[in-house]
Amino acid sequence: AEFLRGAYYYLLVNMYAKPYVKATASSDMGVPLNITEKIEDKYFSRESVETIYKQIVKDLKNAVDHLAGIQQATIYRVNETAARILLSRVYLYMGEWELAEVESEKAIQAGCPLWDLNGVDMTDNGSESTGNLKQQYMISATSPEVLFTQGMNVMNLLMYDGTNVGRFKASDELLQLYSKYSGEGITDLRMTGYFSVSRKKSDCYFSRKTSVLAKDIKAFDAFVIRSAEAYLNKAEAQAMQGKSEAIQTLKTLLENRFENGEIPTSIDGLQGENLVRFIREERRRELCFECHRWFDLRRCGMPEMIHEVTINKGQVQEYRLAKGSDRYVLPIPKKVLDKNPALVQNP
């Protein structure tokens, strides 16, 4: 229960409040905080971002302590390792690099197995229902990397190779990241493992981290905690502290993602901003379509974003999100404001 409360407030504050910035967190508006079990005759106003994050950390730390030594019966019930990974993510958002490193390392020591894609058939070349080919997916009940999952499967609704083909597809910018090192003769196995090509439009790629067959979906991309994140969180935290050990931490993950374990040689010798940039780029490749990207953009400076949408007769409409825009924060729904006059709307 403490884990879930921490997780839900993590989601709320990252959707309806500014990202955590240590210098302004005590004055930035967060979300209402209600942690009592009794009903109170009062309107709840918005607490500060700092207050909400303190509660999230408290809940997750308590969850870690109470889950210690408990055998996980199912991936739909959290374990200590998954709770530590989420806690390390929260510390990462807060810029608490040392604490993020400590928690992610404890998670790794507790058990964060990585799936070597060299020995897994994740190609999009058959049907699960034939019985002749049982395809495997990174986000599934049988994936050794899935430590906790709940919610629903979102990407199958947004990316669908049916009558509404092309509603949403993977961006060209993202796809190009997987061929970035092809000139070195290095093959990123995630390109064929994490994507499928439209049968109707050869330039459309969709997420295939989960099955498209409803009966086979047992793990959910809306909220999933995977082993791989522990290594990414640890590597970024180390790099932000100027530790060269970040390279080896990341290599442990990459050896399981590139063909024959041949990873980009350019990682060796990286330091400072270049190393951090490499790690965050790798984070984008690894955790795509798992509900990380928007929050990562927010915590990394809210950069300018340009999104093109093809409308009728091939016309392209451009949408631009300015750097640091107030639109990086969702508005509180009007029906919520109507019910609670103590709330203040976002700019």
Side-chain angles (χ1 to χ4, degrees), residues 76-310:
Y76 312 115
R77 293 287 184 269
V78 74
N79 64 1
E80 177 188 353
T81 305
R84 285 195 185 279
I85 291 176
L86 183 56
L87 180 56
S88 73
R89 187 195 307 177
V90 171
Y91 280 140
L92 210 63
Y93 285 24
M94 297 174 71
E96 298 288 353
W97 314 119
E98 185 176 353
L99 292 172
E101 180 188 2
V102 168
E103 288 303 325
S104 51
E105 172 58 22
K106 286 181 178 178
I108 292 170
Q109 292 300 319
C112 285
L114 293 172
W115 210 356
D116 187 352
L117 300 192
N118 283 281
V120 181
D121 183 4
M122 286 188 175
T123 55
D124 185 32
N125 58 0
S127 170
E128 283 193 18
S129 59
T130 62
N132 297 322
L133 175 64
K134 185 62 177 177
Q135 292 188 31
Q136 301 181 72
Y137 299 87
M138 180 54 77
I139 302 177
S140 65
T142 57
S143 169
E145 294 197 15
V146 172
L147 301 173
F148 174 77
T149 184
Q150 69 170 21
M152 64 180 294
N153 218 32
V154 178
M155 288 303 155
N156 285 356
L157 299 177
L158 298 178
M159 299 179 169
Y160 178 63
D161 197 15
T163 54
N164 291 321
V165 60
R167 269 189 300 183
F168 291 95
K169 65 175 183 176
S171 71
D172 294 337
E173 181 187 356
L174 173 61
L175 294 171
Q176 288 166 5
L177 290 178
Y178 295 92
S179 58
K180 186 171 183 176
Y181 305 103
S182 58
E184 302 176 34
I186 296 174
T187 300
D188 193 327
L189 297 170
R190 290 169 295 193
M191 184 62 215
T192 53
Y194 292 177
F195 297 89
S196 63
V197 186
S198 170
R199 293 181 295 274
K200 299 181 179 181
K201 297 184 68 176
S202 61
D203 62 340
C204 287
Y205 285 79
F206 306 119
S207 169
R208 71 168 307 276
K209 281 191 164 179
T210 65
S211 172
V212 297
L213 302 176
K215 67 181 183 64
D216 291 329
I217 297 174
K218 302 291 192 300
F220 315 102
D221 55 28
F223 197 95
V224 59
I225 296 178
R226 283 202 294 121
S227 296
E229 186 190 347
Y231 296 89
L232 291 163
N233 291 354
K234 181 183 176 183
E236 183 174 339
Q238 288 175 319
M240 292 300 292
Q241 296 176 80
K243 294 183 177 181
S244 59
E245 294 94 323
I247 294 175
Q248 185 53 52
T249 299
L250 193 60
K251 280 185 175 182
T252 302
L253 171 64
L254 298 186
E255 288 168 356
N256 293 277
R257 297 298 186 255
F258 288 91
E259 192 172 61
N260 299 322
E262 297 178 0
I263 62 179
T265 56
S266 54
I267 188 176
D268 293 312
L270 287 177
Q271 55 185 336
E273 292 183 8
N274 290 330
L275 179 56
V276 173
R277 189 179 302 110
F278 187 99
I279 293 169
R280 287 178 175 170
E281 194 174 84
E282 178 55 34
R283 182 180 183 87
R284 187 177 181 187
R285 275 189 288 261
E286 178 61 35
L287 299 178
C288 63
F289 309 121
E290 296 181 34
C291 299
H292 285 271
R293 179 65 175 161
W294 178 247
F295 290 177
D296 280 343
L297 287 170
R298 282 167 38 89
R299 73 180 178 91
C300 294
M302 299 186 286
E304 179 184 57
M305 297 292 293
I306 299 173
H307 184 57
E308 293 183 345
V309 176
T310 302

Side-chain angles (χ1 to χ4, degrees), residues 333-344:
K334 182 178 182 302
K335 64 180 181 180
V336 176
L337 293 171
D338 290 342
K339 289 184 177 181
N340 185 355
L343 294 180
V344 178

